[in-house]
Amino acid sequence: MSFTPRFPHFLHGGDYNPDQWLDRPDILDRDVELMHKAHVNCVSVGIFSWARLEPEDGVYVFAWLDEVIDRLWKGGIHVILATPSGARPAWMAQNYPEVLRVNDRLQRMHFGERHNHCLTSPVYRRKVHAINTALAQRYANHPAVILWHLSNEYSGDCRCPLCQEKWRGWLKDKYGTLENLNKCWWTSFWSQRYTDWSQVEAPGPMGEVSNTSMWVDWRRFSTWQCKTFIENERDAVKAVNPELLCTANLMERFWDYDYFDLAEAIDVVSWDSYPEWHSGDDVQRAAEFAMNHDLMRSFKDQPFLLMESTPSQVNWKPINKLKRPGMHLLSSLQALAYGSQSVMYFQWRKGRGGAEMFHGAVVDHDGSENHRVFRDVAQVGQALETLESLYAQPRKKAEVCIIYDTQNRWAIDYAQTGHSKNMRYYDTVNMHYRSLWQQGISVDLKDMRTCTDLSGYKLVVAPMLFMFRGGIEEKLRAYVEKGGTLLMTYFSGWVDEFDLAYLGGTPHGLMDVMGIRGTELDAIYPHDENALVMNDGRRFAIRELCEIPENRGAETLGVFENDFYAGMPCLSRNRYGEGTAYYLSAKLEQAGLDAIYGDIAQALSLTRALPDNLPKGVIATERGGAVFLQNFSGQEQRFSLSEPYTDLLTDEAMQNITMPANGVMVLKK
Ligand code: GLA
Ligand code: ZN
């Protein structure tokens, strides 16, 4: 599927900031020449260009951008054109202070930095709409322009009077009456009852900080605010040329907004990926980023774009390590394996000043193509050209679905229980993911709202679903009843969508399906020792959390080893309807999850990318009939496959394989 019909190919390129070099036409000319040498076919332009595009209120200056785009087009380079709302000009902050964000301490910020505008301000929305319209009128039909890049990394919230008013309006729409809001926010606690709408303020450290129902609503409101902000941007450019699609670059592990909701406002998901390679365990890192890629693919159930990655190092981590030889190709092709249609970078060329002057770039300050990083980038460009046949081969729907839900994540993070403020929901989901990933099993991720049709999945995994919403208990019940296999864990079905505790036992509405009721949650110390002991004797350490079960008819597969709940089921299986429901009552070490998912994968005959058992840290991922073999182990690996393959990258026959550290191959039968 192509998002860019004007140029239906894998995109290779990155953020390009010619506006920083307008007094150096020699450099701008050289850029196009270097782009060819780097096998770059597309760049993103204008991301932070507002001050150059509208130097005075209402005065647009496009001549420089005309030249830039024409020069690129003549050189055969395509353009992803950005709207500039990620950072506004100084005159706007000065003339219209309402565009500036108010922080959670209720201080209005001054001009400076980026990503800090008020999302409500009618002035800001009007100005954004106007410049987007002007950009679209000028460029939306230019043959070089293939996609809109709306703003940059939308994030954060604002507590200005305009936003507070919007918040109250949103609550009125949601709850209808103040009495209903009082009930759903449980305000009889600590005398929090509201008697007039005007008393309701945004949560934050200057006022209410501990009402969790209110916080979860605030995050939903912020998501909605941002979504309507995006729609305003999108509608401006689409009014001119509805065919030109819109993306917004999302972020990893993102928490501020519910991306499943937000993604509805854009046509194409893209994201910015910055793993800390070589900082410890690259296999762990790879598992995390594979899940990020799968999440991005899952938001809209379609391929995505890798919009930013660094060609070498970043400049904003505490330790900014270079990618070791091989890692650039490996991590770039990892994105492709999981469904990306591009490998793009931040940034094309290092600037001479500013915060990011030392951030990795394709072209360093030496301006030379004779550079290790430049060669690595050119190699990726060549690989994308070689793999062109995979462009029309998106990843197929997986056999396994993991339920990952941002609103549940907020609720868990706000909840005061267990390991307070450190329940590690995201990491726990990733541990479950990792067990499947390393077996070469594909996974889709859905949230509780979007998992409307689970029937096609052989396995559904639901770790730590603390908050039930979207009728999830009915969806899961129906899924198991009709023959599905579900794995659910401790700390599930505790609260409803208002973050109010369910009365009558957990997991709410599913105790009969699981054959288990969770009675108490025990948070244990790192020095506390407990384990899951399986019926066949295998033993796996338990960490952090144990839920004491009451067995309501499930078959015990393994028990707690220690403590006053020793001998009680820690892993159980229940037949319900035509299906099977596993319940895991404690947080296990990775090896324990690996064993459980090994057993389940075998029982369900889940499809693996390769039938062979690979060395630890060598991962196989299938896309379009090709198998991406990725060596994240940090060492050379030698192994044999049961059948012969050809490596599409080198055209060499492969069966007895030697893979260098950070090696990657794309195998085809
Ligand atoms: C983000 C931003 C870019 C740049 C990079 C640096 O992802 O979108 O503008 O700051 O980080 O890594
Ligand atoms: Zn505001």
Side-chain angles (χ1 to χ4, degrees):
M1 105 173 270
S2 176
F3 309 126
T4 53
R6 282 183 187 155
F7 187 66
H9 301 280
F10 285 128
L11 306 179
H12 185 228
D15 282 26
Y16 180 42
N17 302 307
D19 33 335
Q20 295 173 20
W21 300 96
L22 294 181
D23 59 346
R24 291 294 305 269
D26 56 319
I27 285 191
L28 298 180
D29 277 337
R30 175 99 171 111
D31 277 336
V32 176
E33 196 187 317
L34 287 172
M35 284 172 193
H36 283 282
K37 293 191 169 154
H39 293 258
V40 157
N41 56 24
C42 169
V43 289
S44 322
V45 181
I47 296 175
F48 296 111
S49 299
W50 204 336
R52 285 276 192 194
L53 292 170
E54 191 178 356
E56 281 173 59
D57 201 346
V59 178
Y60 297 129
V61 174
F62 290 130
W64 68 270
L65 188 54
D66 291 351
E67 270 177 44
V68 164
I69 294 182
D70 285 342
R71 187 186 296 109
L72 290 166
W73 182 231
K74 264 186 223 128
I77 308 293
H78 292 78
V79 171
I80 295 177
L81 189 57
T83 65
S85 63
R88 73 299 64 198
W91 59 257
M92 196 187 299
Q94 196 169 36
N95 298 354
Y96 310 99
E98 70 160 63
V99 306
L100 297 168
R101 192 172 283 187
V102 170
N103 68 18
D104 66 353
R105 299 239 144 221
L106 307 180
Q107 299 149 325
R108 188 169 303 268
M109 304 305 285
H110 288 228
F111 174 67
E113 297 295 323
R114 58 174 178 172
H115 302 154
N116 52 7
H117 47 271
C118 170
L119 289 159
T120 305
S121 161
V123 170
Y124 201 64
R125 287 190 179 210
R126 221 167 33 239
K127 294 279 176 202
V128 168
H129 196 276
I131 194 158
N132 287 9
T133 303
L135 279 168
Q137 283 166 346
R138 201 158 183 103
Y139 303 110
N141 293 306
H142 194 296
V145 177
I146 57 173
L147 187 72
W148 286 109
H149 181 296
L150 298 180
S151 200
N152 193 65
E153 295 190 339
Y154 291 106
S155 56
D157 50 22
C158 173
R159 286 170 174 76
C160 76
L162 294 167
C163 286
Q164 305 266 12
E165 202 44 49
K166 262 269 148 42
W167 162 235
R168 283 186 283 270
W170 184 85
L171 291 170
K172 273 184 207 164
D173 282 349
K174 174 163 182 173
Y175 291 104
T177 66
L178 202 53
E179 194 40 44
N180 195 26
L181 176 132
N182 275 316
K183 216 169 111 186
C184 292
W185 283 8
W186 204 253
T187 57
S188 295
F189 180 75
W190 285 353
S191 218
Q192 287 174 342
R193 289 183 65 77
Y194 298 104
T195 51
D196 193 275
W197 283 103
S198 63
Q199 297 157 356
V200 181
E201 294 182 323
M206 303 298 287
E208 179 52 46
V209 278
S210 34
N211 187 317
T212 59
S213 302
M214 182 181 186
W215 268 118
V216 171
D217 266 348
W218 174 254
R219 301 254 66 87
R220 291 175 177 140
F221 163 73
S222 300
T223 300
W224 172 79
Q225 266 293 72
C226 184
K227 193 173 178 184
T228 60
F229 188 91
I230 296 176
E231 285 162 355
N232 176 59
E233 290 222 37
R234 179 200 67 194
D235 293 349
V237 296
K238 286 258 176 143
V240 179
N241 178 359
E243 311 276 286
L244 198 58
L245 301 185
C246 294
T247 190
N249 51 337
L250 310 183
M251 288 177 268
E252 68 201 45
R253 247 181 200 266
F254 192 69
W255 191 85
D256 296 9
Y257 311 136
D258 181 342
Y259 272 164
F260 277 100
D261 274 0
L262 214 65
E264 291 170 351
I266 52 179
D267 303 305
V268 182
V269 166
S270 64
W271 81 288
D272 304 341
S273 171
Y274 293 103
E276 282 167 70
W277 297 120
H278 323 301
S279 62
D281 183 355
D282 276 348
V283 183
Q284 174 51 37
R285 204 61 76 217
E288 255 173 62
F289 280 76
M291 185 171 101
N292 271 308
H293 289 310
D294 270 333
L295 197 51
M296 296 295 156
R297 181 177 54 79
S298 296
F299 287 142
K300 291 188 84 71
D301 242 334
Q302 65 185 26
F304 60 92
L305 298 174
L306 178 62
M307 189 56 83
E308 290 181 27
S309 60
T310 179
S312 55
Q313 67 199 147
V314 296
N315 69 327
W316 46 266
K317 296 205 173 177
I319 297 174
N320 298 294
K321 194 167 180 174
L322 295 173
K323 283 184 189 167
R324 269 34 196 172
M327 185 48 92
H328 184 54
L329 183 65
L330 171 59
S331 58
S332 299
L333 293 190
Q334 185 195 29
L336 222 68
Y338 288 88
S340 180
Q341 299 291 64
S342 70
V343 175
M344 305 280 287
Y345 310 115
F346 182 88
Q347 52 190 339
W348 165 254
R349 181 187 278 277
K350 286 184 181 176
R352 293 193 61 200
E356 298 183 320
M357 62 194 284
F358 300 120
H359 190 290
V362 181
V363 183
D364 209 322
H365 291 130
D366 63 9
S368 167
E369 70 212 66
N370 188 14
H371 193 292
R372 185 183 74 100
V373 173
F374 192 94
R375 284 191 293 272
D376 278 0
V377 165
Q379 186 191 16
V380 168
Q382 267 169 317
L384 295 180
E385 288 160 13
T386 308
L387 297 174
E388 180 67 20
S389 65
L390 295 179
Y391 180 80
Q393 307 275 342
R395 280 201 105 199
K396 288 193 292 276
K397 192 180 159 79
E399 290 173 348
V400 180
C401 179
I402 297 184
I403 314 262
Y404 167 73
D405 192 287
T406 307
Q407 302 200 12
N408 177 51
R409 183 169 163 201
W410 298 332
I412 289 178
D413 288 355
Y414 288 126
Q416 300 192 32
T417 185
H419 287 256
S420 230
K421 308 280 175 249
N422 200 17
M423 293 292 269
R424 301 183 204 257
Y425 171 57
Y426 190 95
D427 294 325
T428 303
V429 173
N430 191 236
M431 287 176 75
H432 288 256
Y433 176 91
R434 179 175 172 170
S435 294
L436 295 154
W437 167 81
Q438 66 198 14
Q439 295 185 66
I441 295 169
S442 295
V443 172
D444 294 338
L445 294 113
K446 295 273 143 204
D447 74 357
M448 289 185 244
R449 182 176 64 85
T450 55
C451 68
T452 44
D453 186 16
L454 292 171
S455 62
Y457 292 108
K458 288 189 176 171
L459 173 66
V460 171
V461 179
M464 295 176 84
L465 285 196
F466 168 67
M467 171 182 275
F468 274 3
R469 65 185 196 99
I472 190 67
E473 61 274 41
E474 288 318 314
K475 289 173 182 165
L476 292 177
R477 171 186 298 279
Y479 167 72
V480 177
E481 199 160 34
K482 292 198 196 103
T485 299
L486 168 69
L487 187 146
M488 177 165 263
T489 76
Y490 57 92
F491 202 46
S492 287
W494 282 37
V495 298
D496 66 13
E497 64 179 295
F498 301 104
D499 209 18
L500 293 175
Y502 285 116
L503 304 177
T506 71
H508 169 76
L510 289 175
M511 288 168 279
D512 57 331
V513 176
M514 308 314 306
I516 288 281
R517 178 172 82 95
T519 66
E520 293 178 84
L521 187 71
D522 195 12
I524 59 175
Y525 288 93
H527 58 258
D528 287 330
E529 278 191 23
N530 210 338
L532 156 67
V533 182
M534 306 275 273
N535 294 349
D536 60 13
R538 285 176 294 171
R539 179 186 179 281
F540 301 106
I542 287 174
R543 319 225 188 271
E544 296 167 28
L545 295 168
C546 303
E547 190 181 75
I548 305 177
E550 175 197 303
N551 194 344
R552 295 192 167 184
E555 172 195 353
T556 301
L557 300 181
V559 296
F560 284 102
E561 181 177 63
N562 292 327
D563 225 313
F564 69 94
Y565 37 93
M568 290 189 178
C570 180
L571 178 67
S572 60
R573 181 170 58 194
N574 197 42
R575 308 286 179 195
Y576 179 82
E578 316 261 290
T580 306
Y582 291 85
Y583 195 81
L584 176 62
S585 295
K587 175 155 184 186
L588 292 187
E589 63 175 324
Q590 186 69 51
L593 292 177
D594 293 352
I596 293 173
Y597 285 105
D599 294 351
I600 294 179
Q602 223 173 9
L604 297 177
S605 314
L606 297 179
T607 307
R608 299 171 59 198
L610 282 180
D612 305 272
N613 285 326
L614 301 170
K616 203 168 177 299
V618 176
I619 306 300
T621 310
E622 195 265 348
R623 171 178 173 167
V627 178
F628 288 69
L629 206 55
Q630 309 143 71
N631 181 7
F632 292 106
S633 70
Q635 295 163 17
E636 182 186 280
Q637 298 288 356
R638 287 161 194 264
F639 52 95
S640 302
L641 300 178
S642 46
E643 284 178 272
Y645 293 84
T646 306
D647 180 2
L648 293 179
L649 293 173
T650 58
D651 231 7
E652 280 169 38
M654 288 292 161
Q655 186 159 19
N656 298 316
I657 294 182
T658 303
M659 273 191 115
N662 308 324
V664 58
M665 293 171 178
V666 184
L667 304 180
K668 196 117 197 204
K669 269 199 193 145

Coordinates of all heavy atoms in Angstrom, one line a residue, residues 324-372:
R324 N 27.8 1.1 16.7 CA 28.9 0.2 16.3 C 28.7 -0.3 14.9 O 27.5 -0.4 14.4 CB 29.0 -1.0 17.3 CG 29.9 -0.7 18.5 CD 29.9 0.6 19.0 NE 31.0 0.9 19.9 CZ 31.3 2.1 20.4 NH1 30.6 3.2 20.1 NH2 32.3 2.3 21.2
P325 N 29.8 -0.7 14.2 CA 29.7 -1.2 12.8 C 28.6 -2.2 12.7 O 28.5 -3.1 13.5 CB 31.1 -1.7 12.5 CG 32.0 -0.9 13.4 CD 31.2 -0.6 14.7
G326 N 27.8 -2.0 11.7 CA 26.7 -3.0 11.4 C 25.3 -2.5 12.0 O 24.3 -2.8 11.4
M327 N 25.4 -1.8 13.1 CA 24.1 -1.5 13.8 C 23.2 -0.6 13.0 O 22.0 -0.7 13.1 CB 24.4 -0.9 15.2 CG 23.2 -0.7 16.0 SD 22.0 -2.1 16.1 CE 22.6 -3.0 17.5
H328 N 23.8 0.3 12.2 CA 22.9 1.2 11.5 C 22.0 0.4 10.4 O 20.8 0.6 10.4 CB 23.7 2.3 10.8 CG 22.8 3.3 10.1 ND1 21.8 3.9 10.8 CD2 22.7 3.7 8.8 CE1 21.1 4.7 9.9 NE2 21.6 4.6 8.7
L329 N 22.7 -0.5 9.7 CA 21.9 -1.3 8.8 C 20.9 -2.2 9.5 O 19.8 -2.3 9.1 CB 22.9 -2.1 7.9 CG 22.2 -3.0 6.8 CD1 21.5 -2.1 5.8 CD2 23.2 -3.9 6.1
L330 N 21.4 -2.8 10.6 CA 20.6 -3.7 11.3 C 19.3 -3.0 11.9 O 18.2 -3.5 11.7 CB 21.4 -4.4 12.5 CG 20.6 -5.2 13.5 CD1 19.9 -6.4 12.8 CD2 21.6 -5.7 14.6
S331 N 19.5 -1.9 12.6 CA 18.4 -1.3 13.2 C 17.4 -0.7 12.2 O 16.2 -0.6 12.3 CB 18.8 -0.2 14.2 OG 19.6 0.7 13.6
S332 N 18.0 -0.2 11.0 CA 17.2 0.3 9.9 C 16.3 -0.8 9.3 O 15.1 -0.6 9.1 CB 18.0 1.0 8.9 OG 18.8 2.0 9.4
L333 N 16.9 -1.9 9.1 CA 16.1 -3.0 8.5 C 15.2 -3.7 9.5 O 14.2 -4.3 9.1 CB 17.1 -4.1 7.9 CG 17.9 -3.6 6.7 CD1 18.6 -4.7 6.0 CD2 17.0 -2.8 5.6
Q334 N 15.5 -3.5 10.8 CA 14.5 -4.0 11.8 C 13.2 -3.2 11.6 O 12.1 -3.8 11.6 CB 15.0 -3.7 13.2 CG 14.1 -4.3 14.3 CD 14.3 -3.8 15.7 OE1 14.8 -2.7 15.9 NE2 14.0 -4.6 16.7
A335 N 13.3 -1.9 11.4 CA 12.0 -1.1 11.1 C 11.3 -1.7 9.9 O 10.1 -1.8 9.9 CB 12.4 0.3 10.9
L336 N 12.0 -2.0 8.9 CA 11.4 -2.5 7.6 C 10.7 -3.8 7.9 O 9.6 -4.0 7.4 CB 12.5 -2.7 6.6 CG 12.2 -2.2 5.2 CD1 12.0 -0.7 5.1 CD2 13.2 -2.7 4.2
A337 N 11.4 -4.7 8.6 CA 10.8 -6.0 8.9 C 9.5 -5.9 9.6 O 8.6 -6.7 9.4 CB 11.8 -6.8 9.8
Y338 N 9.3 -4.9 10.4 CA 8.1 -4.7 11.2 C 7.0 -3.9 10.5 O 6.0 -3.5 11.1 CB 8.4 -4.2 12.6 CG 9.0 -5.3 13.4 CD1 10.4 -5.5 13.4 CD2 8.2 -6.3 14.1 CE1 11.0 -6.6 14.0 CE2 8.8 -7.4 14.7 CZ 10.2 -7.5 14.7 OH 10.8 -8.6 15.3
G339 N 7.3 -3.5 9.2 CA 6.3 -2.8 8.5 C 6.5 -1.4 8.1 O 5.7 -0.7 7.5
S340 N 7.7 -0.9 8.3 CA 8.0 0.5 7.9 C 8.2 0.6 6.4 O 8.7 -0.4 5.7 CB 9.3 1.0 8.5 OG 9.5 2.4 8.1
Q341 N 7.8 1.7 5.8 CA 7.9 2.0 4.4 C 9.1 3.0 4.2 O 9.2 3.6 3.1 CB 6.6 2.5 3.7 CG 5.5 1.5 3.8 CD 5.6 0.3 3.0 OE1 6.5 -0.5 3.2 NE2 4.8 0.1 2.0
S342 N 9.8 3.2 5.2 CA 10.9 4.2 5.1 C 12.0 4.0 6.1 O 11.8 3.4 7.1 CB 10.3 5.6 5.3 OG 10.0 5.8 6.7
V343 N 13.1 4.6 5.8 CA 14.2 4.9 6.9 C 14.6 6.3 6.7 O 15.2 6.7 5.7 CB 15.4 3.9 6.7 CG1 16.4 4.3 7.7 CG2 15.0 2.5 6.8
M344 N 14.2 7.1 7.7 CA 14.4 8.6 7.6 C 15.2 8.9 8.9 O 15.2 8.3 9.9 CB 13.1 9.4 7.6 CG 12.2 9.0 6.4 SD 12.6 9.6 4.8 CE 12.2 11.4 5.1
Y345 N 15.9 10.0 8.7 CA 16.8 10.5 9.8 C 16.5 11.8 10.4 O 16.1 12.7 9.6 CB 18.3 10.5 9.3 CG 18.7 9.2 8.6 CD1 19.0 9.3 7.3 CD2 18.7 8.0 9.3 CE1 19.4 8.1 6.6 CE2 19.1 6.9 8.6 CZ 19.4 6.9 7.3 OH 19.7 5.8 6.6
F346 N 16.9 12.0 11.6 CA 17.2 13.4 12.1 C 18.7 13.3 12.2 O 19.2 12.6 13.1 CB 16.5 13.7 13.4 CG 16.9 15.1 13.8 CD1 16.1 16.2 13.4 CD2 18.0 15.4 14.5 CE1 16.4 17.5 13.7 CE2 18.3 16.7 14.8 CZ 17.6 17.7 14.4
Q347 N 19.4 14.0 11.4 CA 19.2 15.0 10.5 C 20.0 14.9 9.3 O 21.0 14.1 9.3 CB 19.4 16.4 11.2 CG 20.8 16.4 11.8 CD 21.1 17.6 12.8 OE1 20.4 18.6 12.7 NE2 22.1 17.5 13.6
W348 N 19.7 15.6 8.2 CA 20.6 15.5 7.0 C 21.9 16.0 7.3 O 22.9 15.4 7.1 CB 19.9 16.2 5.8 CG 20.9 16.4 4.7 CD1 21.4 17.6 4.3 CD2 21.4 15.4 3.9 NE1 22.3 17.4 3.3 CE2 22.3 16.0 3.0 CE3 21.3 14.0 3.8 CZ2 23.1 15.3 2.0 CZ3 22.0 13.3 2.8 CH2 22.9 14.0 1.9
R349 N 22.0 17.3 7.8 CA 23.3 18.0 7.9 C 23.4 18.6 9.3 O 22.4 19.2 9.7 CB 23.4 19.0 6.8 CG 24.8 19.8 6.8 CD 24.7 20.9 5.8 NE 25.1 20.5 4.5 CZ 26.3 20.3 4.0 NH1 27.4 20.5 4.8 NH2 26.5 20.0 2.7
K350 N 24.5 18.5 10.0 CA 24.7 19.2 11.3 C 24.7 20.7 11.1 O 25.4 21.2 10.2 CB 26.0 18.8 11.9 CG 26.0 17.4 12.5 CD 27.3 17.1 13.2 CE 27.2 15.7 13.7 NZ 28.5 15.3 14.4
G351 N 24.0 21.5 11.9 CA 24.0 22.9 11.8 C 25.3 23.4 12.5 O 26.0 22.6 13.2
R352 N 25.6 24.7 12.4 CA 26.8 25.2 13.0 C 26.5 25.6 14.5 O 27.5 25.9 15.2 CB 27.3 26.4 12.2 CG 27.8 26.0 10.9 CD 28.6 27.2 10.3 NE 29.8 27.5 11.1 CZ 30.5 28.6 11.0 NH1 30.1 29.6 10.2 NH2 31.5 28.8 11.8
G353 N 25.3 25.8 14.8 CA 24.9 26.3 16.2 C 23.6 25.7 16.6 O 23.0 24.8 15.9
G354 N 23.1 26.1 17.7 CA 21.8 25.6 18.2 C 22.0 24.3 19.0 O 23.1 23.7 19.0
A355 N 21.0 23.9 19.7 CA 21.0 22.8 20.6 C 21.5 21.5 19.9 O 22.1 20.6 20.6 CB 19.7 22.6 21.3
E356 N 21.2 21.4 18.6 CA 21.5 20.1 18.0 C 22.7 20.1 17.1 O 22.8 19.2 16.2 CB 20.2 19.6 17.3 CG 19.1 19.4 18.4 CD 17.8 18.9 17.9 OE1 17.4 19.3 16.8 OE2 17.2 18.1 18.6
M357 N 23.6 21.0 17.3 CA 24.8 21.1 16.4 C 25.7 19.9 16.4 O 26.4 19.6 15.5 CB 25.6 22.4 16.7 CG 26.1 22.4 18.1 SD 26.8 24.1 18.6 CE 28.3 24.2 17.7
F358 N 25.6 19.1 17.6 CA 26.4 17.9 17.7 C 25.6 16.6 17.6 O 26.1 15.5 17.9 CB 27.2 17.9 18.9 CG 28.2 19.1 19.0 CD1 28.1 20.1 20.0 CD2 29.1 19.3 18.0 CE1 28.9 21.2 20.1 CE2 30.0 20.4 18.1 CZ 29.9 21.4 19.1
H359 N 24.3 16.8 17.2 CA 23.5 15.6 17.0 C 23.9 14.9 15.7 O 24.2 15.5 14.7 CB 22.0 16.0 16.9 CG 21.0 14.9 16.9 ND1 20.9 14.0 15.9 CD2 20.1 14.5 17.9 CE1 20.0 13.1 16.2 NE2 19.5 13.3 17.4
G360 N 23.9 13.6 15.7 CA 24.3 12.8 14.5 C 23.6 13.3 13.3 O 22.4 13.7 13.4
A361 N 24.3 13.2 12.2 CA 23.7 13.6 10.9 C 24.3 12.8 9.8 O 25.4 12.3 10.0 CB 24.0 15.1 10.7
V362 N 23.7 12.8 8.6 CA 24.3 12.2 7.5 C 25.5 12.9 7.1 O 26.6 12.3 6.8 CB 23.3 12.1 6.3 CG1 23.9 11.3 5.1 CG2 21.9 11.5 6.7
V363 N 25.4 14.2 7.1 CA 26.6 15.0 6.7 C 27.1 15.8 7.9 O 26.4 16.5 8.6 CB 26.3 16.0 5.6 CG1 27.5 16.8 5.2 CG2 25.6 15.3 4.4
D364 N 28.4 15.5 8.3 CA 29.0 16.1 9.5 C 29.5 17.5 9.1 O 29.5 17.9 8.0 CB 30.1 15.1 10.0 CG 30.3 15.2 11.5 OD1 30.2 16.4 12.0 OD2 30.5 14.2 12.1
H365 N 30.1 18.1 10.1 CA 30.7 19.5 9.9 C 31.8 19.5 8.9 O 32.0 20.5 8.2 CB 31.2 20.1 11.2 CG 30.1 20.4 12.2 ND1 30.1 20.0 13.5 CD2 28.9 21.1 12.0 CE1 28.9 20.4 14.1 NE2 28.2 21.1 13.2
D366 N 32.4 18.3 8.7 CA 33.5 18.3 7.6 C 32.9 18.3 6.2 O 33.6 18.5 5.3 CB 34.4 17.0 7.8 CG 33.6 15.7 7.6 OD1 32.4 15.8 7.2 OD2 34.2 14.7 8.0
G367 N 31.6 18.1 6.1 CA 30.9 18.3 4.8 C 31.3 17.2 3.8 O 31.1 17.3 2.6
S368 N 31.9 16.1 4.3 CA 32.5 15.1 3.4 C 31.7 13.8 3.3 O 31.1 13.4 4.3 CB 33.9 14.8 4.0 OG 34.4 13.7 3.3
E369 N 31.8 13.2 2.1 CA 31.2 11.9 1.9 C 32.1 10.8 2.4 O 31.7 9.7 2.5 CB 30.8 11.7 0.4 CG 32.1 11.5 -0.4 CD 31.9 12.1 -1.8 OE1 31.7 13.3 -1.9 OE2 31.9 11.3 -2.7
N370 N 33.3 11.2 2.6 CA 34.3 10.3 3.1 C 34.3 10.2 4.6 O 35.2 10.6 5.3 CB 35.7 10.7 2.6 CG 36.8 9.6 2.9 OD1 36.4 8.5 3.2 ND2 38.0 10.0 2.8
H371 N 33.2 9.5 5.1 CA 32.9 9.5 6.5 C 32.2 8.2 6.8 O 31.4 7.8 6.0 CB 32.0 10.7 6.8 CG 31.9 11.0 8.3 ND1 31.2 10.2 9.1 CD2 32.3 12.1 9.0 CE1 31.3 10.7 10.4 NE2 31.9 11.9 10.3
R372 N 32.6 7.6 7.9 CA 32.0 6.3 8.3 C 30.5 6.4 8.3 O 29.8 5.5 7.7 CB 32.5 5.9 9.7 CG 32.0 4.5 10.1 CD 32.5 4.2 11.5 NE 31.8 4.9 12.5 CZ 30.7 4.4 13.2 NH1 30.4 3.1 13.0 NH2 30.1 5.1 14.1

